[in-house]
Amino acid sequence: MGRFPVARNTGRGRGRSSSNRRSNNENNKREYKFYPLGIGNNKATFDQVKDKIENDIQQTFGKGSRKIVESLRNMKEYDWKVGVPTLKVSVNTDDAEKNRLNRQYELDYTEESREYKKKIEQYKADMEKAYAKIWDKYTSEPMKSRIMNLVDFESAIRDKPIVLLTCIREITLMPKKSRYHYDSMTEAMLSYLLCKQKEHEGLRDYYSRWKQ
C-alpha cells in the first residue's frame, strides 16, 4: 500500500490563482476617469478615481504635495491661519538687552513672514496644477461637457480643484437636470436595487460602487 504515491488535489489552488489573475486584469482594465451617471463601461467609482488622483499627486508634486492631498481628501482648502508668524516682544528689564532681542525678533519675523508667503503662493500654484491634472487626466469628455455647460464654470469652477470635484460628484450621482424629477428618482432607485457584485470583483470595489 505504501509503494504508490498519493495524488494530491491541487485544482483548488490553481483555481484561486486563476481567479486572482482575472480579478487583477479587470482592475487593470478599469477606467479611472469621472463619467456622468449612466455613461461609461467598467468605470471606477468617484471615490476610487479620487484616491487615484491623491496618490498621483503625492508621487509627482514633491514636498508640497501633503497640503494639496489633505485639501482634496477633506474637500476643503488648507487652513493657513494655523502657523501664522507672530512678532515677539522682549520683556527684558535691561534696555540694551531688550533692544537687542527686539531687533532679532524683527529679523526672525521678517524671515518667517517671507517663508510663510512663499508657502501660500506655492500652495495656490499647486492647487491650479491639481486642477489641470484632474481635468486633463481623470475627467472624461462627457463629464467635461457637463461641467463646461454650467453657468458659473468660468467664475467659480475653473482652476479650483475642490469645487470641480464637488460638481463632478454631484453629476456622477444625478442625471441631467433636463430630465423629469421622477425619472431621476427612478434611475437612482434602479441603480441601487440592481447593483450586484460582478464576477471576480473584489468586495472592497463592490462596496465602493454600491455606496456610490
Side-chain angles (χ1 to χ4, degrees):
M1 292 177 62
R3 290 187 301 170
F4 299 99
V6 178
R8 295 182 179 178
N9 183 5
T10 58
R12 181 180 299 177
R14 286 199 300 270
R16 186 181 296 115
S17 176
S18 177
S19 174
N20 289 338
R21 283 197 298 270
R22 284 195 295 268
S23 179
N24 290 334
N25 287 337
E26 285 198 0
N27 287 335
N28 291 334
K29 292 178 182 178
R30 181 178 291 123
E31 189 172 13
Y32 285 89
K33 282 192 174 183
F34 294 119
Y35 278 90
L37 180 65
I39 301 177
N41 296 320
N42 199 29
K43 60 185 178 181
T45 64
F46 174 86
D47 288 336
Q48 288 171 339
V49 180
K50 187 166 172 286
D51 286 343
K52 191 87 168 178
I53 291 168
E54 291 166 5
N55 291 334
D56 190 351
I57 289 173
Q58 279 183 323
Q59 295 171 7
T60 58
F61 273 38
K63 63 180 182 179
S65 65
R66 185 179 62 82
K67 289 184 174 62
I68 305 301
V69 171
E70 182 178 331
S71 297
L72 297 182
R73 185 170 293 149
N74 298 329
M75 294 292 280
K76 64 180 182 180
E77 295 280 350
Y78 182 79
D79 184 8
W80 285 100
K81 294 179 181 178
V82 178
V84 177
T86 56
L87 177 61
K88 297 179 181 179
V89 178
S90 174
V91 293
N92 198 295
T93 55
D94 182 81
D95 289 342
E97 181 64 12
K98 181 176 181 180
N99 291 334
R100 187 190 69 79
L101 287 172
N102 282 335
R103 283 196 299 272
Q104 184 60 50
Y105 290 154
E106 288 175 3
L107 292 173
D108 293 343
Y109 175 75
T110 300
E111 181 61 26
E112 290 172 4
S113 297
R114 185 183 297 113
E115 289 298 316
Y116 181 75
K117 290 177 181 178
K118 283 174 60 178
K119 289 179 181 179
I120 294 178
E121 291 172 359
Q122 185 63 53
Y123 171 82
K124 291 179 178 178
D126 284 343
M127 286 293 275
E128 291 185 4
K129 282 173 57 181
Y131 174 92
K133 182 179 286 288
I134 295 168
W135 185 260
D136 294 338
K137 188 175 179 180
Y138 295 98
T139 307
S140 67
E141 291 302 322
M143 180 63 79
K144 287 180 181 179
S145 178
R146 289 277 194 94
I147 296 291
M148 292 175 70
N149 283 331
L150 297 175
V151 293
D152 57 349
F153 171 71
E154 291 292 341
S155 61
I157 301 174
R158 185 186 285 277
D159 294 330
K160 298 177 177 65
I162 295 174
V163 181
L164 174 63
L165 288 174
T166 302
C167 294
I168 287 174
R169 181 169 56 187
E170 292 175 358
I171 294 173
T172 59
L173 298 177
M174 294 298 294
K176 287 184 178 180
K177 293 183 179 180
S178 58
R179 298 181 61 178
Y180 292 107
H181 173 66
Y182 291 108
D183 286 346
S184 301
M185 293 177 61
T186 301
E187 185 167 345
M189 182 61 72
L190 284 173
S191 297
Y192 172 77
L193 293 175
L194 299 177
C195 183
K196 296 180 180 180
Q197 187 173 7
K198 298 178 181 178
E199 187 179 5
H200 312 308
E201 181 180 29
L203 183 60
R204 180 179 178 183
D205 292 340
Y206 166 64
Y207 175 72
S208 179
R209 188 165 55 84
W210 174 83
K211 185 173 66 173
Q212 178 169 305

